[in-house]
Amino acid sequence: MTDTNTPANVEDAPKRSLNFIQEIVEEDNRTGKWGGKVHTRFPPEPNGYLHIGHAKSICLNFGLAKKYGGKCNLRFDDTNPVKEEQEYIDAIIEDVRWLGFDWDGEPLYASSYFEQMYEWSVQLIKDGKAYVCDLPLEKVRELRGSLKTPGKNSPFRDRPVDESVDLFEKMRKGDFPDGSKTLRAKIDMTHANMNLRDPVMYRILHATHPRTGSDWCVYPMYDWAHGLEDSIEGITHSICTLEFEDHRPLYDWFLNALGLHHPQQIEFARLELTHTLMSKRKLLELVQDNTVTGWDDPRMPTLRGMRRRGYPAESIRDLCDKVGVAKMHSTVEFALLEHCVRNTLNKTAPRFMGVLNPLKVVIENYPENESEELDAINNPENPSAGTRKVPFSREIYIERDDFMEDPPRKFFRLGIGREVRLRYAYFVTCTEAIKDETGEVVELRCTYDPATRGGDAPDGRKVKGTIHWVAANHAIPAGIRLYDHLFDKENPNDAPDGKDYRVNLSDNSLTVLADAMVEPALKGTAPGFHLQFERTGYFCVDLDTTPEKLFFSQTVSLKDAWAKMKKKDK
RNA sequence: UGGGCCGUGGUGCAAUUGGCAGCACGUCUGACUCUGAAUCAGAAGGUUCCAGGUUCGAGUCCUGGCGGCCCAACCA
């Protein structure tokens, strides 16, 4: 991964306080609890694509290992074959790598430990701590009681050990239909924590597993399996989200019952972002009902979506660093993510000129059939990025928004009789606006000052505005897609009774500009190429680009003081 | 009297563990400017959920409230 803390500024970097998990780790290191070892893991279930919420967990777990010289495993929690697929495994591996993290050797799988888990469960049965229960689902639910009332023991709770061992072996082999039996831990049906009311350890599932095929007819439940996976791998700090706090006693119970290496489970608040959703289920719905074009739609909060949108991995890591780690439920403003994205792209993205909504301009005193090349700076933030040539000619395109017939005083751009600078080129003055029969301006007539070549006036006169442009006969047509929040509301789930998050879907999350014109230097750029269209925003060459036609996705707009002023006036 | 967790500017986090409530984003000014970007300078914004208590001193400790979130899948 890229180091965001360069050694150079470590000295004068502000002292950052530790988050509560780092404090635990440092305390453990002080007391020698784990012999100075730090071993974490990121344990996704391969039943969907990774999103920005997962990124927080990934950065936390891999980041902790890195900070304290430890290790972090990528481990698939593949204990439910009916929901999991190889497709997701592959995608998750790709996304974690893209985010900038790596691990020792091959990824790990919970399913690799199935045999060991089975042996341990037999041991628990023999210890009188687990039993095979024949109760059907509904009956189990009924006997579990409720939040305020205790549960009741299963009639199979005290079944002879040998019988349970025998039945469990038959369950494993597939002698019983799905749902007919479970293996349950014998804990306490009256416990205030529902998780301890004889939780199911194994259910029967005649399903094909992406890795173990049809070897198994029983699959372990999360609570039973997870601690064992952590234990087997020698995990020290098992970090998960808040909703598992209630499960920690069970995590601890199993490990204690077996007397195994016992990692510490620590819970933190997951990342939530305004104007978007983190629910895998809802994201899947958006894909399935074609609200978006797929998991990698640039509007999706998935890592693939953000990657396609042009968000650099570094920015996402930066966000995760900035949001911190705590136990309070919170929702981060999307603007913080955008700030992180602009911040890295400002330093790295080469600049180009592209006209989103072209308006033709004829420079009347510029010779016909002639053109010249002007020097343009590739990245003012990075001199080593060098310069490039930009062709100029008599007919150019400028942005429609950069011209107003009757501009207000504060409008620094083109108007009739006004002079502006064409970036890196000449000062031009607008002499006439040509309209069609509907009154729409379709072309501008201008004159230029040859003495201002390169963009400076020898007489020292200033212009207030500088606008971007492309030469008409050299420009490349391109398709551009602008994106906005998928949801209008900060909290998409805030819907009236009887309605769901869909009512908050934004009408303008996607704007397609079919007739954009970009400078010829962009010819041949490949998908994934990041750039800035000056004065407009950061963009990324999209996957849909072909040798015949370029498509750009807007990553994020530039901050726009003018747009803000206009908004205020309304 | 089910259990668990959490309450600090608009948002996300800090506060040397009892010592002047800070940082970042956002917002608003201004400067600079061949990107109305970036950069720079500045400002506004807090009853630290409430009420008591301990203390010279409480965001921090104690007591009692209030509020929010999570838990009754053979999901994770």
Side-chain angles (χ1 to χ4, degrees):
Chain A
M1 71 177 270
T2 317
D3 204 339
T4 45
N5 270 332
T6 61
N9 60 26
V10 155
E11 284 287 316
D12 44 293
K15 282 185 221 103
R16 286 204 56 185
S17 50
L18 302 174
N19 65 49
F20 80 100
I21 297 180
Q22 291 167 334
E23 271 175 12
I24 291 171
V25 170
E26 296 205 357
E27 177 62 15
D28 288 347
N29 283 164
R30 253 194 304 279
T31 61
K33 182 175 178 184
W34 308 107
K37 201 176 84 161
V38 176
H39 201 155
T40 56
R41 101 267 94 114
F42 172 62
E45 182 188 15
N47 67 343
Y49 289 85
L50 260 28
H51 54 60
I52 184 84
H54 296 109
K56 178 174 177 180
S57 176
I58 295 168
C59 290
L60 212 201
N61 280 292
F62 281 92
L64 232 31
K66 183 174 186 234
K67 182 175 172 72
Y68 296 104
K71 283 184 184 173
C72 179
N73 297 349
L74 171 63
R75 179 179 71 226
F76 289 97
D77 209 2
D78 55 345
T79 58
N80 184 2
V82 312
K83 286 187 175 177
E84 298 154 7
E85 289 171 33
Q86 187 63 39
E87 174 197 350
Y88 297 127
I89 294 177
D90 298 337
I92 289 169
I93 290 172
E94 192 177 280
D95 286 347
V96 174
R97 285 228 168 87
W98 173 75
L99 232 204
F101 299 99
D102 213 340
W103 49 90
D104 288 349
E106 292 297 306
L108 271 15
Y109 297 86
S111 54
S112 308
Y113 315 139
F114 281 175
E115 189 62 43
Q116 174 67 267
M117 291 176 185
Y118 180 84
E119 286 171 25
W120 278 328
S121 54
V122 170
Q123 186 186 324
L124 283 193
I125 297 172
K126 289 180 176 168
D127 289 347
K129 291 174 179 171
Y131 61 97
V132 170
C133 178
D134 297 359
L135 253 23
L137 183 62
E138 315 75 54
K139 201 68 188 167
V140 170
R141 192 170 290 158
E142 184 190 320
L143 291 185
R144 186 150 39 219
S146 74
L147 293 177
K148 293 183 180 177
T149 59
K152 294 192 178 71
N153 286 169
S154 161
F156 302 96
R157 201 170 198 260
D158 294 313
R159 155 132 76 190
V161 164
D162 290 349
E163 191 178 308
S164 275
V165 171
D166 181 57
L167 286 170
F168 187 44
E169 189 179 342
K170 291 195 168 93
M171 285 163 65
R172 167 186 182 162
K173 285 192 304 198
D175 290 0
F176 306 113
D178 288 5
S180 60
K181 288 178 177 18
T182 55
L183 182 72
R184 297 226 258 159
K186 194 187 287 185
I187 307 182
D188 179 1
M189 288 307 292
T190 67
H191 202 105
N193 181 343
M194 303 281 289
N195 294 127
L196 300 193
R197 319 245 264 228
D198 287 13
V200 171
M201 295 165 63
Y202 280 95
R203 74 285 215 189
I204 300 171
L205 247 34
H206 291 263
T208 304
H209 186 283
R211 296 190 59 82
T212 62
S214 51
D215 293 355
W216 292 86
C217 296
V218 290
Y219 288 91
M221 299 288 291
Y222 170 87
D223 287 310
W224 161 242
H226 205 84
L228 303 182
E229 298 160 24
D230 287 342
S231 185
I232 289 168
E233 294 176 11
I235 299 303
T236 55
H237 304 269
S238 177
I239 298 165
C240 60
T241 44
L242 253 26
E243 68 271 28
F244 291 100
E245 280 177 320
D246 283 346
H247 295 244
R248 181 162 17 98
L250 187 49
Y251 182 100
D252 292 338
W253 190 91
F254 281 127
L255 258 13
N256 287 147
L258 260 5
L260 301 174
H261 164 73
H262 191 152
Q264 179 183 2
Q265 176 178 309
I266 304 168
E267 310 85 11
F268 73 101
R270 57 152 42 94
L271 174 67
E272 298 285 354
L273 270 184
T274 59
H275 301 288
T276 192
L277 290 168
M278 275 338 153
S279 153
K280 277 189 198 176
R281 195 200 92 225
K282 289 171 187 168
L283 294 177
L284 177 63
E285 285 172 2
L286 294 177
V287 172
Q288 285 176 340
D289 63 20
N290 294 315
T291 301
V292 295
T293 59
W295 287 101
D296 68 343
D297 187 295
R299 294 166 292 181
M300 290 283 272
T302 51
L303 294 183
R304 305 168 99 63
M306 291 187 166
R307 174 161 75 229
R308 183 168 178 182
R309 174 84 172 257
Y311 290 4
E314 184 189 340
S315 307
I316 293 175
R317 280 187 251 119
D318 187 27
L319 174 81
C320 293
D321 184 53
K322 284 187 160 71
V323 299
V325 178
K327 297 196 71 160
M328 189 172 76
H329 287 106
S330 61
T331 305
V332 170
E333 288 179 344
F334 204 88
L336 181 59
L337 208 209
E338 295 190 323
H339 166 261
C340 293
V341 170
R342 289 191 184 103
N343 196 32
T344 91
L345 255 14
N346 178 45
K347 292 177 286 193
T348 57
R351 273 113 249 220
F352 292 91
M353 291 195 282
V355 176
L356 273 43
N357 294 297
L359 174 60
K360 189 174 167 185
V361 175
V362 177
I363 299 162
E364 296 188 301
N365 59 338
Y366 194 89
E368 289 187 52
N369 305 319
E370 223 175 82
S371 65
E372 63 185 308
E373 291 196 315
L374 299 159
D375 291 312
I377 294 164
N378 287 329
N379 185 348
E381 305 289 326
N382 175 17
S384 69
T387 61
R388 69 183 185 285
K389 298 286 187 189
V390 185
F392 183 83
S393 60
R394 179 180 157 92
E395 291 188 4
I396 62 171
Y397 294 111
I398 67 165
E399 208 67 69
R400 287 205 98 84
D401 286 351
D402 285 340
F403 172 81
M404 278 183 90
E405 248 194 300
D406 185 21
R409 199 169 41 86
K410 299 276 228 170
F411 185 79
F412 301 153
R413 288 112 96 147
L414 208 52
I416 292 169
R418 291 195 184 198
E419 184 173 53
V420 298
R421 172 167 38 234
L422 297 175
R423 174 137 241 229
Y424 299 126
Y426 295 98
F427 286 12
V428 291
T429 304
C430 182
T431 53
E432 186 190 357
I434 298 172
K435 298 180 188 172
D436 64 10
E437 54 286 352
T438 69
E440 195 193 347
V441 175
V442 293
E443 184 182 313
L444 260 27
R445 295 276 158 165
C446 290
T447 57
Y448 84 120
D449 177 356
T452 58
R453 187 174 198 276
D456 285 304
D459 63 5
R461 80 177 184 280
K462 300 286 183 195
V463 284
K464 192 72 182 157
T466 300
I467 64 175
H468 59 276
W469 53 275
V470 291
N473 55 346
H474 293 278
I476 313 173
I480 288 186
R481 304 202 263 247
L482 305 179
Y483 297 104
D484 201 347
H485 298 309
L486 241 190
F487 297 94
D488 293 316
K489 277 211 172 148
E490 286 201 351
N491 175 9
N493 290 315
D494 177 14
D497 285 346
K499 300 280 190 180
D500 68 5
Y501 64 95
R502 284 159 220 267
V503 301
N504 294 319
L505 245 8
S506 169
D507 294 330
N508 30 348
S509 61
L510 170 65
T511 304
V512 176
L513 303 172
D515 308 310
M517 289 291 196
V518 304
E519 66 172 273
L522 255 359
K523 193 177 169 65
T525 49
F529 181 74
H530 299 275
L531 64 135
Q532 182 196 102
F533 280 129
E534 295 213 31
R535 303 208 311 129
T536 304
Y538 294 99
F539 290 78
C540 180
V541 178
D542 192 81
L543 254 34
D544 290 342
T545 290
T546 63
E548 289 74 42
K549 176 125 189 189
L550 280 167
F551 283 94
F552 296 91
S553 285
Q554 184 186 51
T555 304
V556 63
S557 66
L558 245 32
K559 284 209 263 179
D560 188 345
W562 171 244
K564 202 176 274 182
M565 274 173 67
K566 274 196 301 187
K567 214 172 167 183
K568 252 199 309 190
D569 288 347
K570 276 180 188 172

